[in-house]
Amino acid sequence: MGLCFSRGDRSTPRRRPSKRITNHSAAADGGVGSKRWTRIRSSRKEENLIHERALAAAILFQQQLQNGGVGTAPFDRSTSLRYPTGNSKKNQALPRSSSSRARSLTDPLLQPHQLVNQDIKLDNLETSHFVLVHGGGFGAWCWYKTIALLEEGGYKVTAVDLTGSGIHSFDTNSITSLSQYVKPLTEFLEKLTDGEKVILVGHDFGGACISYALELFPSKVSKAVFLAAAMLTSGQSALDMFSEKVEPNDLMRQAQVFIYANGNNQSPTAIDFDKSLLRDLLFNQSPAKDVALASVSMRPIPFSPVLEKLSLSEANHGSVRRFYIETLEDNAIPVAVQECMINKNPPEQVFRLKGADHSPFFSKPQALHKVLVEISKIP
């Protein structure tokens, strides 16, 4: 998660040209009249069931932690390592966002066949396997809408829990390096067969994590997608990037709670967030049920990895195609900070999600899905 400490004023870098695409989904939302709202009503029971199950799982996990860690009913690992099943029914309706807000045209209610061009054969793509890497404090659970949409379109999806995140039982305060934090991701990439490639998607601090992985396994990554994420240059840490005085972020400072597991006279071991400020900071455009899910599922962010400077080479990290997705209503990593990262380290293309907060997998799942599919099809 972006840490906003003030440093000396720095001049804004000269903007370098980068291809930018703003997501417009209105044209795809044909027949917006009564049929659209009929679909919303018909999916209400199913979406409520999905949310209730997700909340129940999160609450059970929270109870396990409070009872001393791993209990007598361990979670099935399949909740964080997801693969499409061979007998999934293509015509089943997908769970919809349960937001009480009027759905905007940037994220219309669409059926899977409207989101994925049926003329595109996934076999013709370099890879149809997405690996989703969560941000600081989040876990694989946050991608549940994205997983469902991608799998329905025929993609293979893996969502990992980084060390001490999600259902990974390791104590966050004991994580001392970025390599330790990213180990579940690097172990997964290491086990890929020769010639097998994936599309890495990193959210928030997950951007620094996928950059670390690109340096180690460039031949196993087809494309890297930074979603409102830390996109660092060599020699930078996440703290360096987010400490640059682009614009003040008082909300972030107010929300941060530092944890000193080794004593108050030692460096912080982790960062947590004030639960009362979570909605305003991370979920200001997200449905209430997703905010509730996050409030019982988020865990502290290990502090040491945030301080670690990356060593990235042009031969490895620089050889992988990079794409950035901006979130235009982001209160955690404001657009100005995202633009600063883009200008300093320009990716191949920049996509913009209108109306998306820092958690577009909750606030704009359909629009995010469309962009991910589009990136996968870029030759």
Side-chain angles (χ1 to χ4, degrees):
M1 182 57 57
L3 306 178
C4 301
F5 297 99
S6 297
R7 290 188 177 178
D9 289 339
R10 303 184 184 185
S11 59
T12 303
R14 185 175 181 181
R15 187 181 184 86
R16 296 174 63 180
S18 185
K19 185 174 181 181
R20 296 169 187 271
I21 299 176
T22 302
N23 182 269
H24 294 288
S25 302
D29 195 24
V32 178
S34 61
K35 291 183 180 179
R36 174 182 173 191
W37 296 109
T38 299
R39 288 198 299 271
I40 293 177
R41 290 195 298 269
S42 65
S43 65
R44 187 76 64 181
K45 290 180 65 177
E46 182 180 359
E47 72 182 31
N48 286 340
L49 180 60
I50 292 294
H51 279 287
E52 287 170 4
R53 289 175 177 172
L55 281 170
I59 292 170
L60 177 58
F61 172 64
Q62 190 72 11
Q63 290 173 344
Q64 284 186 306
L65 289 180
Q66 294 172 353
N67 292 333
V70 179
T72 57
F75 276 82
D76 189 335
R77 185 67 182 171
S78 64
T79 57
S80 64
L81 294 182
R82 295 287 306 277
Y83 298 91
T85 57
N87 58 358
S88 62
K89 298 178 181 179
K90 297 295 180 182
N91 293 325
Q92 285 183 335
L94 291 176
R96 307 299 182 195
S97 168
S98 61
S99 174
S100 59
R101 297 176 291 110
R103 192 178 295 271
S104 73
L105 291 181
T106 60
D107 190 38
L109 187 67
L110 300 177
Q111 296 293 340
H113 69 271
Q114 293 176 286
L115 289 168
V116 182
N117 189 333
Q118 297 301 295
D119 295 331
I120 297 293
K121 296 187 181 298
L122 297 183
D123 292 342
N124 295 334
L125 303 179
E126 182 179 15
T127 180
S128 59
H129 186 177
F130 279 93
V131 176
L132 309 177
V133 183
H134 62 80
F138 290 85
W141 52 266
C142 73
W143 298 105
Y144 78 96
K145 295 180 183 179
T146 302
I147 291 170
L149 288 167
L150 287 172
E151 287 184 347
E152 184 69 20
Y155 288 88
K156 183 177 181 179
V157 187
T158 302
V160 300
D161 277 321
L162 300 177
T163 305
S165 304
I167 64 170
H168 195 287
S169 60
F170 197 83
D171 180 11
T172 304
N173 293 294
S174 300
I175 298 172
T176 59
S177 67
L178 184 59
S179 63
Q180 183 183 13
Y181 182 59
V182 183
K183 189 174 181 181
L185 174 61
T186 54
E187 286 185 339
F188 173 82
L189 293 174
E190 189 173 18
K191 293 176 182 177
L192 293 176
T193 59
D194 291 341
E196 185 178 359
K197 289 191 174 187
V198 299
I199 298 173
L200 280 183
V201 181
H203 170 245
D204 186 77
F205 185 53
C209 298
I210 68 172
S211 288
Y212 181 90
L214 295 183
E215 183 65 24
L216 296 179
F217 304 101
S219 64
K220 296 188 176 184
V221 181
S222 170
K223 296 165 185 169
V225 182
F226 294 78
L227 174 61
M231 187 169 63
L232 308 179
T233 58
S234 186
Q236 278 189 319
S237 68
L239 180 61
D240 291 336
M241 175 58 68
F242 293 115
S243 295
E244 293 188 359
K245 192 172 182 180
V246 178
E247 65 177 33
N249 192 339
D250 293 335
L251 181 59
M252 174 65 77
R253 292 188 180 93
Q254 294 170 16
Q256 290 172 350
V257 179
F258 289 89
I259 299 173
Y260 297 84
N262 297 328
N264 291 336
N265 60 338
Q266 302 294 321
S267 298
T269 53
I271 312 162
D272 208 349
F273 291 104
D274 184 335
K275 300 296 184 186
S276 68
L277 297 176
L278 275 182
R279 176 186 287 277
D280 291 339
L281 181 66
L282 306 176
F283 312 112
N284 49 295
Q285 300 294 321
S286 295
K289 290 183 179 180
D290 289 325
V291 180
L293 171 63
S295 69
V296 298
S297 303
M298 292 190 72
R299 297 175 63 181
I301 307 162
F303 193 61
S304 291
V306 176
L307 302 177
E308 192 167 324
K309 297 182 184 296
L310 294 183
S311 178
L312 307 174
S313 67
E314 189 63 29
N316 292 338
H317 176 274
S319 67
V320 181
R321 302 170 70 185
R322 290 178 295 112
F323 301 83
Y324 200 97
I325 303 177
E326 291 183 332
T327 45
L328 303 188
E329 301 295 331
D330 197 324
N331 289 339
I333 305 182
V335 174
V337 178
Q338 298 179 52
E339 291 279 350
C340 181
M341 290 186 284
I342 291 167
N343 290 337
K344 286 190 171 184
N345 190 17
E348 182 175 322
Q349 282 186 227
V350 175
F351 296 82
R352 314 185 83 191
L353 292 182
K354 288 185 175 181
D357 58 22
H358 189 60
S359 306
F361 34 75
F362 290 157
S363 60
K364 294 294 175 186
Q366 307 280 7
L368 172 60
H369 173 74
K370 282 194 66 176
V371 171
L372 292 178
V373 170
E374 183 174 350
I375 291 174
S376 76
K377 295 189 292 186
I378 296 174

Short mmCIF file of all heavy atoms in Angstrom, two decimals, residues 127-180:
data_model
loop_
_atom_site.label_atom_id
_atom_site.label_comp_id
_atom_site.label_asym_id
_atom_site.label_seq_id
_atom_site.Cartn_x
_atom_site.Cartn_y
_atom_site.Cartn_z
N THR A 127 -0.52 -16.60 -24.56
CA THR A 127 -0.92 -17.30 -23.34
C THR A 127 -2.32 -16.85 -22.96
O THR A 127 -2.73 -15.72 -23.22
CB THR A 127 0.04 -17.00 -22.17
OG1 THR A 127 -0.40 -17.70 -20.99
CG2 THR A 127 0.10 -15.51 -21.85
N SER A 128 -3.07 -17.76 -22.34
CA SER A 128 -4.40 -17.44 -21.84
C SER A 128 -4.45 -17.68 -20.33
O SER A 128 -5.52 -17.88 -19.76
CB SER A 128 -5.46 -18.28 -22.54
OG SER A 128 -5.21 -19.67 -22.35
N HIS A 129 -3.29 -17.63 -19.70
CA HIS A 129 -3.17 -17.90 -18.27
C HIS A 129 -2.82 -16.61 -17.53
O HIS A 129 -1.74 -16.05 -17.70
CB HIS A 129 -2.09 -18.97 -18.03
CG HIS A 129 -2.00 -19.43 -16.61
ND1 HIS A 129 -1.13 -20.42 -16.20
CD2 HIS A 129 -2.67 -19.05 -15.48
CE1 HIS A 129 -1.27 -20.62 -14.91
NE2 HIS A 129 -2.19 -19.79 -14.44
N PHE A 130 -3.76 -16.13 -16.71
CA PHE A 130 -3.52 -14.95 -15.88
C PHE A 130 -3.08 -15.38 -14.48
O PHE A 130 -3.64 -16.31 -13.90
CB PHE A 130 -4.80 -14.12 -15.74
CG PHE A 130 -5.09 -13.22 -16.91
CD1 PHE A 130 -5.90 -13.66 -17.95
CD2 PHE A 130 -4.58 -11.94 -16.96
CE1 PHE A 130 -6.19 -12.83 -19.03
CE2 PHE A 130 -4.85 -11.11 -18.03
CZ PHE A 130 -5.66 -11.55 -19.07
N VAL A 131 -2.09 -14.69 -13.94
CA VAL A 131 -1.68 -14.87 -12.55
C VAL A 131 -1.92 -13.54 -11.85
O VAL A 131 -1.31 -12.52 -12.19
CB VAL A 131 -0.21 -15.29 -12.43
CG1 VAL A 131 0.19 -15.38 -10.95
CG2 VAL A 131 0.01 -16.63 -13.11
N LEU A 132 -2.81 -13.54 -10.86
CA LEU A 132 -3.25 -12.33 -10.19
C LEU A 132 -2.54 -12.19 -8.84
O LEU A 132 -2.57 -13.10 -8.01
CB LEU A 132 -4.77 -12.36 -9.97
CG LEU A 132 -5.61 -12.67 -11.23
CD1 LEU A 132 -7.09 -12.74 -10.87
CD2 LEU A 132 -5.36 -11.65 -12.32
N VAL A 133 -1.90 -11.03 -8.64
CA VAL A 133 -1.12 -10.79 -7.43
C VAL A 133 -1.74 -9.61 -6.67
O VAL A 133 -1.78 -8.49 -7.19
CB VAL A 133 0.35 -10.49 -7.77
CG1 VAL A 133 1.18 -10.30 -6.49
CG2 VAL A 133 0.95 -11.62 -8.62
N HIS A 134 -2.21 -9.87 -5.49
CA HIS A 134 -2.92 -8.87 -4.70
C HIS A 134 -1.98 -7.79 -4.16
O HIS A 134 -0.76 -7.93 -4.16
CB HIS A 134 -3.64 -9.55 -3.52
CG HIS A 134 -2.69 -10.23 -2.57
ND1 HIS A 134 -1.99 -9.55 -1.60
CD2 HIS A 134 -2.33 -11.54 -2.45
CE1 HIS A 134 -1.25 -10.40 -0.91
NE2 HIS A 134 -1.43 -11.61 -1.41
N GLY A 135 -2.59 -6.71 -3.67
CA GLY A 135 -1.83 -5.62 -3.09
C GLY A 135 -1.63 -5.79 -1.60
O GLY A 135 -2.05 -6.78 -0.99
N GLY A 136 -0.97 -4.79 -0.99
CA GLY A 136 -0.69 -4.86 0.43
C GLY A 136 -1.94 -4.90 1.28
O GLY A 136 -2.84 -4.07 1.14
N GLY A 137 -2.02 -5.89 2.17
CA GLY A 137 -3.17 -6.06 3.04
C GLY A 137 -4.26 -6.93 2.46
O GLY A 137 -5.10 -7.45 3.20
N PHE A 138 -4.28 -7.08 1.15
CA PHE A 138 -5.30 -7.89 0.48
C PHE A 138 -4.85 -9.36 0.44
O PHE A 138 -3.85 -9.74 1.02
CB PHE A 138 -5.54 -7.37 -0.93
CG PHE A 138 -6.23 -6.03 -1.00
CD1 PHE A 138 -5.49 -4.85 -0.92
CD2 PHE A 138 -7.60 -5.93 -1.15
CE1 PHE A 138 -6.11 -3.61 -0.98
CE2 PHE A 138 -8.23 -4.69 -1.21
CZ PHE A 138 -7.48 -3.53 -1.13
N GLY A 139 -5.62 -10.17 -0.27
CA GLY A 139 -5.29 -11.56 -0.47
C GLY A 139 -5.92 -12.03 -1.76
O GLY A 139 -6.60 -11.26 -2.46
N ALA A 140 -5.75 -13.30 -2.09
CA ALA A 140 -6.33 -13.83 -3.32
C ALA A 140 -7.85 -13.66 -3.34
O ALA A 140 -8.46 -13.57 -4.41
CB ALA A 140 -5.97 -15.31 -3.46
N TRP A 141 -8.45 -13.55 -2.17
CA TRP A 141 -9.92 -13.41 -2.07
C TRP A 141 -10.44 -12.18 -2.81
O TRP A 141 -11.58 -12.17 -3.27
CB TRP A 141 -10.34 -13.33 -0.60
CG TRP A 141 -9.61 -12.30 0.20
CD1 TRP A 141 -8.49 -12.50 0.96
CD2 TRP A 141 -9.92 -10.90 0.32
NE1 TRP A 141 -8.09 -11.32 1.55
CE2 TRP A 141 -8.95 -10.32 1.18
CE3 TRP A 141 -10.93 -10.09 -0.19
CZ2 TRP A 141 -8.95 -8.97 1.51
CZ3 TRP A 141 -10.93 -8.74 0.14
CH2 TRP A 141 -9.95 -8.19 0.98
N CYS A 142 -9.62 -11.13 -2.93
CA CYS A 142 -10.12 -9.88 -3.52
C CYS A 142 -10.41 -10.00 -5.01
O CYS A 142 -11.12 -9.17 -5.58
CB CYS A 142 -9.13 -8.74 -3.26
SG CYS A 142 -7.61 -8.79 -4.24
N TRP A 143 -9.90 -11.05 -5.66
CA TRP A 143 -10.04 -11.20 -7.11
C TRP A 143 -11.26 -12.04 -7.49
O TRP A 143 -11.38 -12.44 -8.65
CB TRP A 143 -8.81 -11.86 -7.69
CG TRP A 143 -7.52 -11.12 -7.52
CD1 TRP A 143 -6.51 -11.42 -6.65
CD2 TRP A 143 -7.06 -9.98 -8.27
NE1 TRP A 143 -5.46 -10.54 -6.81
CE2 TRP A 143 -5.78 -9.64 -7.79
CE3 TRP A 143 -7.63 -9.22 -9.31
CZ2 TRP A 143 -5.05 -8.57 -8.32
CZ3 TRP A 143 -6.91 -8.17 -9.81
CH2 TRP A 143 -5.64 -7.84 -9.32
N TYR A 144 -12.17 -12.33 -6.57
CA TYR A 144 -13.19 -13.34 -6.87
C TYR A 144 -14.05 -12.99 -8.08
O TYR A 144 -14.43 -13.87 -8.86
CB TYR A 144 -14.05 -13.65 -5.63
CG TYR A 144 -15.11 -12.64 -5.29
CD1 TYR A 144 -16.43 -12.81 -5.72
CD2 TYR A 144 -14.82 -11.53 -4.51
CE1 TYR A 144 -17.41 -11.90 -5.39
CE2 TYR A 144 -15.80 -10.61 -4.18
CZ TYR A 144 -17.09 -10.79 -4.62
OH TYR A 144 -18.07 -9.89 -4.29
N LYS A 145 -14.37 -11.71 -8.28
CA LYS A 145 -15.16 -11.33 -9.45
C LYS A 145 -14.35 -11.48 -10.73
O LYS A 145 -14.85 -11.96 -11.75
CB LYS A 145 -15.65 -9.89 -9.30
CG LYS A 145 -16.63 -9.66 -8.17
CD LYS A 145 -17.05 -8.19 -8.11
CE LYS A 145 -17.98 -7.93 -6.94
NZ LYS A 145 -18.39 -6.51 -6.85
N THR A 146 -13.09 -11.05 -10.68
CA THR A 146 -12.22 -11.14 -11.86
C THR A 146 -11.97 -12.59 -12.24
O THR A 146 -11.98 -12.94 -13.43
CB THR A 146 -10.87 -10.43 -11.57
OG1 THR A 146 -11.14 -9.06 -11.23
CG2 THR A 146 -9.96 -10.48 -12.77
N ILE A 147 -11.77 -13.44 -11.25
CA ILE A 147 -11.57 -14.87 -11.51
C ILE A 147 -12.78 -15.45 -12.23
O ILE A 147 -12.66 -16.15 -13.24
CB ILE A 147 -11.31 -15.64 -10.19
CG1 ILE A 147 -9.95 -15.26 -9.60
CG2 ILE A 147 -11.38 -17.16 -10.42
CD1 ILE A 147 -9.73 -15.79 -8.20
N ALA A 148 -13.97 -15.15 -11.72
CA ALA A 148 -15.19 -15.70 -12.31
C ALA A 148 -15.36 -15.26 -13.76
O ALA A 148 -15.69 -16.06 -14.64
CB ALA A 148 -16.41 -15.29 -11.47
N LEU A 149 -15.14 -13.98 -14.03
CA LEU A 149 -15.30 -13.46 -15.38
C LEU A 149 -14.28 -14.04 -16.35
O LEU A 149 -14.62 -14.43 -17.47
CB LEU A 149 -15.21 -11.93 -15.36
CG LEU A 149 -16.40 -11.19 -14.74
CD1 LEU A 149 -16.05 -9.73 -14.49
CD2 LEU A 149 -17.63 -11.30 -15.62
N LEU A 150 -13.03 -14.11 -15.94
CA LEU A 150 -11.99 -14.64 -16.82
C LEU A 150 -12.19 -16.13 -17.09
O LEU A 150 -12.07 -16.59 -18.24
CB LEU A 150 -10.60 -14.40 -16.22
CG LEU A 150 -10.09 -12.95 -16.25
CD1 LEU A 150 -8.80 -12.83 -15.44
CD2 LEU A 150 -9.85 -12.50 -17.69
N GLU A 151 -12.51 -16.87 -16.05
CA GLU A 151 -12.72 -18.31 -16.24
C GLU A 151 -13.92 -18.57 -17.14
O GLU A 151 -13.90 -19.50 -17.96
CB GLU A 151 -12.89 -19.00 -14.89
CG GLU A 151 -11.59 -19.10 -14.10
CD GLU A 151 -11.76 -19.89 -12.82
OE1 GLU A 151 -12.92 -20.13 -12.42
OE2 GLU A 151 -10.74 -20.24 -12.21
N GLU A 152 -14.96 -17.77 -17.01
CA GLU A 152 -16.14 -17.94 -17.85
C GLU A 152 -15.79 -17.70 -19.32
O GLU A 152 -16.38 -18.29 -20.22
CB GLU A 152 -17.25 -16.99 -17.41
CG GLU A 152 -18.57 -17.16 -18.16
CD GLU A 152 -19.26 -18.47 -17.84
OE1 GLU A 152 -18.94 -19.07 -16.79
OE2 GLU A 152 -20.11 -18.89 -18.64
N GLY A 153 -14.80 -16.83 -19.55
CA GLY A 153 -14.36 -16.56 -20.91
C GLY A 153 -13.36 -17.57 -21.44
O GLY A 153 -12.87 -17.43 -22.56
N GLY A 154 -13.03 -18.59 -20.65
CA GLY A 154 -12.13 -19.64 -21.11
C GLY A 154 -10.70 -19.49 -20.68
O GLY A 154 -9.84 -20.33 -21.00
N TYR A 155 -10.39 -18.44 -19.93
CA TYR A 155 -9.02 -18.22 -19.47
C TYR A 155 -8.71 -19.11 -18.27
O TYR A 155 -9.60 -19.49 -17.51
CB TYR A 155 -8.80 -16.76 -19.08
CG TYR A 155 -8.76 -15.81 -20.26
CD1 TYR A 155 -9.92 -15.25 -20.77
CD2 TYR A 155 -7.55 -15.48 -20.86
CE1 TYR A 155 -9.89 -14.38 -21.85
CE2 TYR A 155 -7.51 -14.61 -21.95
CZ TYR A 155 -8.68 -14.06 -22.43
OH TYR A 155 -8.64 -13.21 -23.51
N LYS A 156 -7.44 -19.38 -18.09
CA LYS A 156 -6.97 -20.05 -16.88
C LYS A 156 -6.50 -18.97 -15.92
O LYS A 156 -5.85 -18.01 -16.33
CB LYS A 156 -5.81 -21.00 -17.22
CG LYS A 156 -5.28 -21.80 -16.04
CD LYS A 156 -4.19 -22.77 -16.52
CE LYS A 156 -3.65 -23.60 -15.37
NZ LYS A 156 -2.61 -24.57 -15.83
N VAL A 157 -6.83 -19.12 -14.64
CA VAL A 157 -6.54 -18.07 -13.67
C VAL A 157 -5.93 -18.67 -12.41
O VAL A 157 -6.42 -19.66 -11.88
CB VAL A 157 -7.81 -17.27 -13.29
CG1 VAL A 157 -7.43 -16.07 -12.41
CG2 VAL A 157 -8.57 -16.82 -14.52
N THR A 158 -4.86 -18.04 -11.95
CA THR A 158 -4.26 -18.38 -10.66
C THR A 158 -4.17 -17.11 -9.84
O THR A 158 -3.61 -16.12 -10.30
CB THR A 158 -2.84 -18.96 -10.83
OG1 THR A 158 -2.89 -20.12 -11.67
CG2 THR A 158 -2.25 -19.34 -9.48
N ALA A 159 -4.74 -17.13 -8.65
CA ALA A 159 -4.63 -16.01 -7.72
C ALA A 159 -3.84 -16.48 -6.51
O ALA A 159 -4.26 -17.41 -5.83
CB ALA A 159 -6.01 -15.51 -7.31
N VAL A 160 -2.70 -15.86 -6.26
CA VAL A 160 -1.82 -16.33 -5.19
C VAL A 160 -2.03 -15.51 -3.92
O VAL A 160 -2.38 -14.34 -3.97
CB VAL A 160 -0.34 -16.27 -5.61
CG1 VAL A 160 -0.08 -17.14 -6.82
CG2 VAL A 160 0.09 -14.83 -5.88
N ASP A 161 -1.78 -16.15 -2.80
CA ASP A 161 -1.67 -15.46 -1.51
C ASP A 161 -0.18 -15.30 -1.22
O ASP A 161 0.54 -16.30 -1.08
CB ASP A 161 -2.31 -16.28 -0.39
CG ASP A 161 -3.81 -16.08 -0.29
OD1 ASP A 161 -4.27 -14.95 -0.46
OD2 ASP A 161 -4.50 -17.07 -0.02
N LEU A 162 0.29 -14.08 -1.15
CA LEU A 162 1.68 -13.85 -0.78
C LEU A 162 1.87 -14.19 0.70
O LEU A 162 0.90 -14.32 1.46
CB LEU A 162 2.08 -12.40 -1.07
CG LEU A 162 1.94 -11.98 -2.54
CD1 LEU A 162 2.30 -10.51 -2.72
CD2 LEU A 162 2.81 -12.85 -3.45
N THR A 163 3.11 -14.32 1.13
CA THR A 163 3.40 -14.75 2.50
C THR A 163 2.74 -13.83 3.53
O THR A 163 2.85 -12.60 3.45
CB THR A 163 4.92 -14.76 2.74
OG1 THR A 163 5.55 -15.57 1.75
CG2 THR A 163 5.26 -15.30 4.12
N GLY A 164 2.02 -14.43 4.45
CA GLY A 164 1.35 -13.67 5.50
C GLY A 164 0.11 -12.94 5.04
O GLY A 164 -0.39 -12.07 5.76
N SER A 165 -0.41 -13.30 3.86
CA SER A 165 -1.58 -12.63 3.30
C SER A 165 -2.69 -13.63 3.05
O SER A 165 -2.44 -14.82 2.86
CB SER A 165 -1.22 -11.92 1.99
OG SER A 165 -0.15 -11.02 2.16
N GLY A 166 -3.93 -13.13 3.00
CA GLY A 166 -5.05 -14.03 2.71
C GLY A 166 -5.12 -15.16 3.72
O GLY A 166 -5.16 -14.93 4.93
N ILE A 167 -5.12 -16.39 3.23
CA ILE A 167 -5.20 -17.55 4.12
C ILE A 167 -3.83 -18.13 4.42
O ILE A 167 -3.71 -19.17 5.07
CB ILE A 167 -6.11 -18.65 3.53
CG1 ILE A 167 -5.53 -19.20 2.23
CG2 ILE A 167 -7.52 -18.13 3.34
CD1 ILE A 167 -6.25 -20.43 1.73
N HIS A 168 -2.75 -17.47 3.94
CA HIS A 168 -1.40 -17.91 4.28
C HIS A 168 -1.17 -17.64 5.76
O HIS A 168 -1.31 -16.52 6.24
CB HIS A 168 -0.38 -17.16 3.42
CG HIS A 168 1.00 -17.78 3.43
ND1 HIS A 168 1.83 -17.71 4.52
CD2 HIS A 168 1.66 -18.47 2.48
CE1 HIS A 168 2.97 -18.33 4.24
NE2 HIS A 168 2.89 -18.81 3.01
N SER A 169 -0.79 -18.68 6.51
CA SER A 169 -0.81 -18.60 7.98
C SER A 169 0.41 -17.92 8.59
O SER A 169 0.45 -17.73 9.81
CB SER A 169 -0.95 -20.01 8.56
OG SER A 169 0.14 -20.83 8.17
N PHE A 170 1.41 -17.53 7.80
CA PHE A 170 2.64 -16.97 8.36
C PHE A 170 2.36 -15.62 9.03
O PHE A 170 1.53 -14.83 8.57
CB PHE A 170 3.68 -16.79 7.25
CG PHE A 170 5.08 -16.61 7.74
CD1 PHE A 170 5.87 -17.71 8.08
CD2 PHE A 170 5.63 -15.34 7.88
CE1 PHE A 170 7.15 -17.55 8.53
CE2 PHE A 170 6.93 -15.17 8.33
CZ PHE A 170 7.69 -16.28 8.65
N ASP A 171 3.08 -15.35 10.12
CA ASP A 171 2.91 -14.09 10.86
C ASP A 171 3.52 -12.94 10.06
O ASP A 171 4.71 -12.94 9.75
CB ASP A 171 3.60 -14.20 12.22
CG ASP A 171 3.48 -12.93 13.05
OD1 ASP A 171 2.68 -12.04 12.67
OD2 ASP A 171 4.18 -12.82 14.08
N THR A 172 2.70 -11.95 9.74
CA THR A 172 3.15 -10.80 8.96
C THR A 172 4.34 -10.10 9.61
O THR A 172 5.25 -9.63 8.93
CB THR A 172 2.00 -9.80 8.79
OG1 THR A 172 0.89 -10.47 8.20
CG2 THR A 172 2.41 -8.64 7.91
N ASN A 173 4.35 -10.01 10.93
CA ASN A 173 5.40 -9.29 11.63
C ASN A 173 6.76 -9.97 11.52
O ASN A 173 7.78 -9.36 11.83
CB ASN A 173 5.04 -9.15 13.11
CG ASN A 173 3.84 -8.24 13.32
OD1 ASN A 173 3.90 -7.05 13.05
ND2 ASN A 173 2.74 -8.80 13.79
N SER A 174 6.79 -11.23 11.08
CA SER A 174 8.04 -11.97 10.99
C SER A 174 8.65 -11.95 9.59
O SER A 174 9.67 -12.58 9.34
CB SER A 174 7.81 -13.43 11.41
OG SER A 174 7.35 -13.49 12.76
N ILE A 175 8.02 -11.25 8.66
CA ILE A 175 8.54 -11.16 7.29
C ILE A 175 9.62 -10.10 7.24
O ILE A 175 9.40 -8.94 7.59
CB ILE A 175 7.40 -10.82 6.30
CG1 ILE A 175 6.34 -11.93 6.33
CG2 ILE A 175 7.94 -10.63 4.89
CD1 ILE A 175 5.10 -11.61 5.53
N THR A 176 10.81 -10.48 6.80
CA THR A 176 11.97 -9.58 6.87
C THR A 176 12.52 -9.17 5.52
O THR A 176 13.47 -8.39 5.46
CB THR A 176 13.10 -10.25 7.68
OG1 THR A 176 13.47 -11.49 7.05
CG2 THR A 176 12.65 -10.52 9.12
N SER A 177 11.98 -9.68 4.41
CA SER A 177 12.52 -9.34 3.10
C SER A 177 11.45 -9.46 2.03
O SER A 177 10.44 -10.16 2.21
CB SER A 177 13.70 -10.24 2.73
OG SER A 177 13.25 -11.58 2.54
N LEU A 178 11.69 -8.82 0.91
CA LEU A 178 10.77 -8.91 -0.22
C LEU A 178 10.75 -10.31 -0.80
O LEU A 178 9.70 -10.83 -1.18
CB LEU A 178 11.16 -7.89 -1.30
CG LEU A 178 10.24 -7.79 -2.51
CD1 LEU A 178 8.82 -7.41 -2.09
CD2 LEU A 178 10.79 -6.76 -3.51
N SER A 179 11.91 -10.95 -0.86
CA SER A 179 11.97 -12.31 -1.40
C SER A 179 11.13 -13.28 -0.58
O SER A 179 10.48 -14.18 -1.13
CB SER A 179 13.42 -12.80 -1.45
OG SER A 179 13.98 -12.86 -0.15
N GLN A 180 11.12 -13.10 0.73
CA GLN A 180 10.29 -13.93 1.60
C GLN A 180 8.81 -13.67 1.36
O GLN A 180 8.00 -14.60 1.28
CB GLN A 180 10.65 -13.68 3.06
CG GLN A 180 9.89 -14.54 4.06
CD GLN A 180 10.23 -14.19 5.50
OE1 GLN A 180 10.83 -13.15 5.77
NE2 GLN A 180 9.83 -15.04 6.43
#
